[in-house]
Amino acid sequence: MKKKLLTFVLAGAMVFSMAMSGCGSSNSEETDTQTEKESDKETVENVEAVIDVPDEVTKGGELNIALVSSPKNLDPVKYTGTYESQIIYQVCDTIVTYDMEMKEILPSLATEWTISDDGMVYTFTIRDDVYFQPGEYQDGRKMTAEDVAYSLNRSAQESALNRLDMLDHAEALDETHVQATLKAPSAVFLTALTNSGNVVVPKEEVEGWGDEFGNHLVGTGPYALEEFSLDQQAVLVKNENYFLGEPNLDKVVFKVITDQNQEVNALRTGEIDIATQLSGESVKLVAEDDSVNLLKIPGMQISYAYFNMVNGPTADPKVREALIMAVDYEELAAGVFQYGEGEAACLPLPKASWGYDESVEADVPSYDPEGAKKLLEEAGYGDGFTLNMYVTNENFRQKAATILQSYWKMIGVDLEINTVEWGTFSETGASGKADVFAMGWSWYPDPYFFLDKMFATSSIGTLGNGQGYSNAEVDQLLADALIETDQDKRAEIYYEALKLITNDDPGIFYGNPSECLGINPKVQDFHQRADGTIKLFTTEENVWVVQ
């Protein structure tokens, strides 16, 4: 046995420093204001947990992971939230995958691939040693190129979030080769293939279970779904026939714990081993507890409140501008991220994306409550009105909604906050029925996965563009960026699109949350990812627990 600290990247002192970039600011005299706001921040000192860790990996054991909202449907083409994807990634595999730093595309079910000169055709060589987990309608047979083609075509045709909308069709050339033909050249096709919505599944199980397939998910992954109880838990067991080798854990349980205080208590008492999506005081509680560890890295995520662009008062551009002018973004973010679990923002791209351009921040309407009231009068709403906001139960989203409610009250707008579970929220948001809906969007560094999914006309009807945003000029720029292969030129195109979107005032993009996890020190070989994805067995890691 040897005594050692966990080899995680931990911040010794997490002092939150708000980026005073002018988003929503009323003037440029920042010094006094910044000093005053910084004095309201709480310094959170992280205390590292120290345990005895054996030199050899301990096989077996159980890992318990908390999800803050209930997964609704585990069918890869139907899921809409990260809660489902955390489970799908353990049960199924994609044909290519990101490395854990999200910088390089690596082989997975495909060993190699070629791309035609015109960028339209991708040919993948598929492994010949991969088997599905046994299910109700097949007994654990070998996966073939036909399964890959079937799964990709299914996603292209049925995905709830259009995750593979660039694919025209895929076909098996033989047992180990798949050819994917695109509708047009796409700079993000390989990246899209890493998404859990594009995993490979057996046709027999999909057709045999029908609408119930999501409750009986079968794939090729390191852990097989043993039980899925809605609003309670998903129980996974080791796949003894996994192509990368033997998973270290015998069992993985994803538990739904919607109350963050209960989640933290469960971590500290050992009921769970990983607490996900920590925010607010929970960050402080975990950081200062010497029996557990806090993991925190900048996230590939934005937090925002969308306006309905089609129906209700917010269909009026003046109303949207007024609602934005009524909000001090810096104070809003300071109130939401009190313990350093995020930073202020104002654009619909995370600052970690290579497409982010801080010069566009100047296009966001400045904080001006009196000007906001005048705009409402011009729009015919001088006597005010009521808006309905939908939000999930995450602590910091509810906090943001309450702060917005206070801001808008001062200009005569009453905000009714509806806190709902994820399934209801995603359906309401995608349907375009909400006046305002507050959520987060987390994906890959490529701007496509934010701007296209949230603002392309083709995405209307999905949760990404449930607000009904449509701008023909933006659509053309997004299409141009998708077929351009030079990243610098793509960045220039996305800059133009970002300016147009920002000037349309589609919402309040107030924060870039960090990824904050609480973890028991007995959990080893775990690597935190910027998009919040949890992976337990890849070529780079095989999580295990000290017994």
Coordinates of all heavy atoms in Angstrom, one line a residue, residues 378-425:
E378 N -43.1 51.9 -26.4 CA -43.2 52.0 -27.9 C -43.8 50.8 -28.5 O -44.4 50.8 -29.6 CB -41.7 52.2 -28.5 CG -41.1 53.6 -28.1 CD -39.7 53.6 -28.5 OE1 -39.2 52.7 -29.3 OE2 -39.0 54.6 -28.1
A379 N -43.6 49.6 -27.9 CA -44.1 48.4 -28.4 C -45.6 48.2 -28.0 O -46.2 47.2 -28.4 CB -43.3 47.2 -27.9
G380 N -46.1 49.1 -27.2 CA -47.5 49.0 -26.8 C -47.7 48.2 -25.5 O -48.8 47.7 -25.2
Y381 N -46.6 48.0 -24.7 CA -46.7 47.3 -23.5 C -46.3 48.2 -22.3 O -45.7 47.7 -21.3 CB -45.8 46.1 -23.5 CG -46.2 45.0 -24.5 CD1 -45.6 44.9 -25.8 CD2 -47.3 44.1 -24.2 CE1 -46.0 43.9 -26.7 CE2 -47.7 43.1 -25.1 CZ -47.0 43.0 -26.3 OH -47.4 42.1 -27.2
G382 N -46.8 49.4 -22.3 CA -46.4 50.4 -21.3 C -47.0 49.9 -19.9 O -46.5 50.3 -18.9
D383 N -48.1 49.2 -20.0 CA -48.8 48.7 -18.7 C -48.2 47.3 -18.3 O -48.7 46.8 -17.3 CB -50.3 48.6 -18.9 CG -50.9 50.0 -19.1 OD1 -50.4 51.0 -18.6 OD2 -51.9 50.1 -19.9
G384 N -47.3 46.8 -19.0 CA -46.6 45.6 -18.6 C -47.4 44.4 -19.1 O -48.4 44.5 -19.8
F385 N -46.9 43.2 -18.8 CA -47.5 41.9 -19.2 C -46.9 40.8 -18.4 O -46.0 41.0 -17.6 CB -47.3 41.7 -20.7 CG -45.9 41.7 -21.2 CD1 -45.1 40.6 -21.2 CD2 -45.3 42.9 -21.6 CE1 -43.7 40.6 -21.5 CE2 -44.0 43.0 -22.0 CZ -43.2 41.8 -22.0
T386 N -47.4 39.6 -18.6 CA -46.9 38.4 -17.9 C -46.2 37.4 -18.9 O -46.8 37.2 -19.9 CB -48.1 37.7 -17.2 OG1 -48.6 38.6 -16.2 CG2 -47.6 36.5 -16.4
L387 N -45.1 36.9 -18.4 CA -44.4 35.8 -19.2 C -44.4 34.6 -18.4 O -44.2 34.6 -17.1 CB -43.0 36.3 -19.5 CG -42.8 37.4 -20.5 CD1 -41.4 37.8 -20.7 CD2 -43.4 37.0 -21.9
N388 N -44.5 33.4 -19.0 CA -44.3 32.1 -18.4 C -42.9 31.6 -18.7 O -42.6 31.4 -19.9 CB -45.3 31.1 -18.8 CG -46.6 31.3 -18.0 OD1 -46.7 30.9 -16.8 ND2 -47.6 31.8 -18.6
M389 N -42.1 31.3 -17.7 CA -40.8 30.7 -17.9 C -40.8 29.3 -17.4 O -41.3 29.0 -16.4 CB -39.7 31.5 -17.1 CG -38.3 30.8 -17.2 SD -37.1 31.6 -16.2 CE -36.5 32.8 -17.3
Y390 N -40.2 28.4 -18.2 CA -40.0 27.0 -17.8 C -38.5 26.7 -17.5 O -37.6 27.2 -18.2 CB -40.5 26.1 -18.9 CG -42.0 26.0 -19.0 CD1 -42.7 27.0 -19.7 CD2 -42.7 25.0 -18.4 CE1 -44.1 27.1 -19.7 CE2 -44.1 25.0 -18.5 CZ -44.8 26.0 -19.1 OH -46.2 26.0 -19.2
V391 N -38.3 26.0 -16.4 CA -37.0 25.7 -16.0 C -36.9 24.4 -15.3 O -37.9 23.9 -14.7 CB -36.5 26.9 -15.0 CG1 -37.3 26.9 -13.7 CG2 -35.0 26.7 -14.6
T392 N -35.8 23.7 -15.3 CA -35.6 22.4 -14.6 C -35.2 22.7 -13.2 O -35.1 23.9 -12.7 CB -34.6 21.5 -15.3 OG1 -33.4 22.3 -15.5 CG2 -35.1 21.1 -16.7
N393 N -35.0 21.6 -12.4 CA -34.8 21.8 -11.0 C -33.3 22.0 -10.5 O -33.1 22.1 -9.4 CB -35.3 20.5 -10.3 CG -34.5 19.3 -10.6 OD1 -33.9 19.2 -11.7 ND2 -34.5 18.3 -9.8
E394 N -32.4 22.2 -11.5 CA -31.0 22.5 -11.1 C -31.0 23.8 -10.3 O -31.6 24.8 -10.6 CB -30.1 22.7 -12.3 CG -29.8 21.4 -12.9 CD -30.6 21.2 -14.2 OE1 -31.7 21.7 -14.3 OE2 -30.0 20.7 -15.2
N395 N -30.3 23.8 -9.2 CA -30.2 25.0 -8.3 C -29.9 26.3 -9.0 O -30.6 27.3 -8.8 CB -29.2 24.7 -7.2 CG -29.1 25.8 -6.2 OD1 -28.3 26.7 -6.4 ND2 -29.8 25.8 -5.1
F396 N -28.8 26.3 -9.8 CA -28.4 27.6 -10.3 C -29.4 28.1 -11.4 O -29.5 29.3 -11.7 CB -27.0 27.5 -10.8 CG -26.7 26.8 -12.1 CD1 -26.7 27.4 -13.3 CD2 -26.6 25.4 -12.1 CE1 -26.4 26.7 -14.5 CE2 -26.3 24.7 -13.3 CZ -26.3 25.4 -14.5
R397 N -30.1 27.2 -12.1 CA -31.1 27.6 -13.1 C -32.3 28.3 -12.4 O -32.8 29.3 -12.8 CB -31.5 26.5 -14.0 CG -30.4 25.8 -14.7 CD -30.8 25.2 -16.0 NE -29.9 24.3 -16.5 CZ -28.7 24.6 -17.0 NH1 -28.4 25.9 -17.1 NH2 -27.8 23.7 -17.5
Q398 N -32.7 27.7 -11.3 CA -33.8 28.3 -10.5 C -33.4 29.6 -10.0 O -34.1 30.6 -9.9 CB -34.2 27.4 -9.4 CG -34.8 26.1 -9.9 CD -35.4 25.2 -8.8 OE1 -36.1 25.6 -7.9 NE2 -35.0 23.9 -8.9
K399 N -32.1 29.7 -9.5 CA -31.6 31.0 -9.0 C -31.6 32.1 -10.1 O -32.0 33.2 -9.8 CB -30.2 30.8 -8.4 CG -29.6 32.0 -7.7 CD -28.2 31.7 -7.2 CE -28.1 30.6 -6.2 NZ -26.7 30.4 -5.7
A400 N -31.1 31.7 -11.3 CA -31.1 32.6 -12.4 C -32.5 33.1 -12.7 O -32.8 34.3 -13.0 CB -30.5 32.0 -13.6
A401 N -33.5 32.2 -12.7 CA -34.9 32.5 -13.0 C -35.4 33.5 -12.0 O -36.1 34.5 -12.3 CB -35.8 31.3 -13.0
T402 N -35.1 33.3 -10.7 CA -35.6 34.2 -9.7 C -35.0 35.6 -9.8 O -35.7 36.6 -9.6 CB -35.2 33.6 -8.3 OG1 -35.8 32.4 -8.2 CG2 -35.7 34.5 -7.2
I403 N -33.7 35.7 -10.2 CA -33.0 37.0 -10.4 C -33.7 37.7 -11.6 O -33.9 38.9 -11.5 CB -31.5 36.8 -10.6 CG1 -30.9 36.2 -9.3 CG2 -30.9 38.1 -10.9 CD1 -29.4 35.9 -9.4
L404 N -33.9 37.0 -12.7 CA -34.5 37.6 -13.8 C -35.9 38.1 -13.5 O -36.4 39.1 -13.9 CB -34.6 36.6 -15.0 CG -33.3 36.2 -15.7 CD1 -33.5 35.1 -16.7 CD2 -32.8 37.5 -16.4
Q405 N -36.6 37.3 -12.7 CA -38.0 37.7 -12.3 C -37.9 39.1 -11.6 O -38.8 40.0 -11.8 CB -38.5 36.7 -11.3 CG -39.9 36.9 -10.8 CD -40.4 35.8 -9.8 OE1 -39.7 35.6 -8.8 NE2 -41.5 35.1 -10.2
S406 N -36.9 39.3 -10.7 CA -36.7 40.5 -10.0 C -36.4 41.7 -11.0 O -37.0 42.8 -10.9 CB -35.7 40.4 -9.0 OG -35.4 41.6 -8.3
Y407 N -35.5 41.5 -11.9 CA -35.1 42.5 -12.9 C -36.3 42.9 -13.7 O -36.6 44.1 -13.9 CB -34.0 42.0 -13.8 CG -32.6 42.1 -13.3 CD1 -31.8 41.0 -13.3 CD2 -32.1 43.3 -12.9 CE1 -30.5 41.1 -12.8 CE2 -30.8 43.5 -12.5 CZ -30.0 42.4 -12.4 OH -28.7 42.5 -12.0
W408 N -37.1 41.9 -14.2 CA -38.2 42.3 -15.1 C -39.3 42.9 -14.4 O -40.1 43.6 -15.0 CB -38.6 41.0 -15.9 CG -37.5 40.6 -16.9 CD1 -36.5 41.4 -17.4 CD2 -37.3 39.4 -17.5 NE1 -35.7 40.7 -18.3 CE2 -36.2 39.4 -18.4 CE3 -38.0 38.1 -17.4 CZ2 -35.7 38.4 -19.1 CZ3 -37.5 37.1 -18.2 CH2 -36.4 37.2 -19.0
K409 N -39.5 42.6 -13.1 CA -40.5 43.2 -12.3 C -40.4 44.7 -12.3 O -41.4 45.4 -12.3 CB -40.5 42.6 -10.9 CG -41.6 43.1 -10.0 CD -43.0 42.6 -10.4 CE -44.0 43.0 -9.4 NZ -45.4 42.6 -9.9
M410 N -39.1 45.2 -12.3 CA -38.8 46.6 -12.2 C -39.2 47.3 -13.5 O -39.3 48.6 -13.5 CB -37.4 46.8 -11.9 CG -37.0 46.4 -10.5 SD -35.3 46.9 -10.0 CE -34.3 45.8 -11.1
I411 N -39.5 46.6 -14.6 CA -39.9 47.3 -15.8 C -41.4 47.0 -16.1 O -41.9 47.2 -17.2 CB -39.0 47.0 -17.0 CG1 -39.0 45.5 -17.4 CG2 -37.6 47.5 -16.7 CD1 -38.3 45.2 -18.7
G412 N -42.0 46.4 -15.1 CA -43.5 46.1 -15.3 C -43.8 44.7 -15.9 O -45.0 44.5 -16.3
V413 N -42.8 43.8 -16.0 CA -43.1 42.5 -16.6 C -43.1 41.5 -15.4 O -42.1 41.4 -14.7 CB -42.0 42.1 -17.6 CG1 -42.2 40.7 -18.1 CG2 -42.0 43.1 -18.7
D414 N -44.2 40.7 -15.3 CA -44.3 39.7 -14.3 C -43.9 38.4 -14.9 O -44.4 37.9 -16.0 CB -45.8 39.6 -13.8 CG -46.2 40.8 -13.0 OD1 -45.4 41.3 -12.2 OD2 -47.3 41.2 -13.2
L415 N -43.0 37.7 -14.2 CA -42.4 36.4 -14.7 C -43.0 35.3 -13.8 O -42.7 35.3 -12.6 CB -40.9 36.4 -14.7 CG -40.3 35.1 -15.2 CD1 -40.5 34.9 -16.7 CD2 -38.7 35.2 -15.0
E416 N -43.7 34.4 -14.4 CA -44.2 33.2 -13.6 C -43.2 32.1 -13.9 O -43.0 31.7 -15.1 CB -45.6 32.9 -14.0 CG -46.6 33.9 -13.6 CD -48.0 33.5 -13.9 OE1 -48.2 32.4 -14.5 OE2 -48.9 34.3 -13.7
I417 N -42.6 31.5 -12.9 CA -41.6 30.5 -13.0 C -42.2 29.1 -12.8 O -42.8 28.8 -11.8 CB -40.5 30.7 -12.0 CG1 -39.8 32.0 -12.2 CG2 -39.4 29.6 -12.1 CD1 -38.8 32.4 -11.1
N418 N -42.1 28.2 -13.8 CA -42.6 26.9 -13.8 C -41.4 25.9 -13.7 O -40.7 25.7 -14.7 CB -43.5 26.6 -15.0 CG -44.6 27.5 -15.2 OD1 -45.7 27.4 -14.6 ND2 -44.4 28.6 -16.0
T419 N -41.3 25.3 -12.6 CA -40.2 24.3 -12.4 C -40.8 22.9 -12.7 O -41.7 22.4 -12.1 CB -39.6 24.3 -11.0 OG1 -39.1 25.6 -10.7 CG2 -38.5 23.3 -10.8
V420 N -40.2 22.2 -13.7 CA -40.7 21.0 -14.2 C -39.6 20.0 -14.4 O -38.4 20.3 -14.5 CB -41.5 21.1 -15.5 CG1 -42.7 22.0 -15.4 CG2 -40.6 21.7 -16.6
E421 N -39.9 18.7 -14.4 CA -38.9 17.6 -14.6 C -38.5 17.6 -16.1 O -39.1 18.2 -16.9 CB -39.5 16.3 -14.2 CG -40.8 15.9 -14.8 CD -40.7 15.3 -16.2 OE1 -39.6 14.7 -16.5 OE2 -41.7 15.4 -16.9
W422 N -37.3 17.0 -16.4 CA -36.7 17.1 -17.7 C -37.6 16.7 -18.8 O -37.6 17.4 -19.9 CB -35.4 16.3 -17.7 CG -34.7 16.4 -19.0 CD1 -34.7 15.4 -20.0 CD2 -34.1 17.5 -19.6 NE1 -34.0 15.9 -21.1 CE2 -33.6 17.2 -20.9 CE3 -33.8 18.8 -19.1 CZ2 -33.0 18.1 -21.7 CZ3 -33.1 19.7 -19.9 CH2 -32.7 19.3 -21.2
G423 N -38.3 15.6 -18.7 CA -39.2 15.2 -19.8 C -40.2 16.3 -20.2 O -40.3 16.6 -21.4
T424 N -40.9 16.8 -19.3 CA -41.8 17.9 -19.5 C -41.1 19.1 -20.1 O -41.6 19.8 -21.0 CB -42.6 18.2 -18.3 OG1 -43.3 17.1 -17.8 CG2 -43.6 19.4 -18.5
F425 N -40.0 19.5 -19.5 CA -39.3 20.7 -19.9 C -38.8 20.5 -21.4 O -39.0 21.5 -22.2 CB -38.0 20.9 -19.1 CG -37.2 22.0 -19.5 CD1 -37.4 23.3 -19.1 CD2 -36.1 21.8 -20.4 CE1 -36.7 24.4 -19.6 CE2 -35.3 22.8 -20.8 CZ -35.6 24.1 -20.4

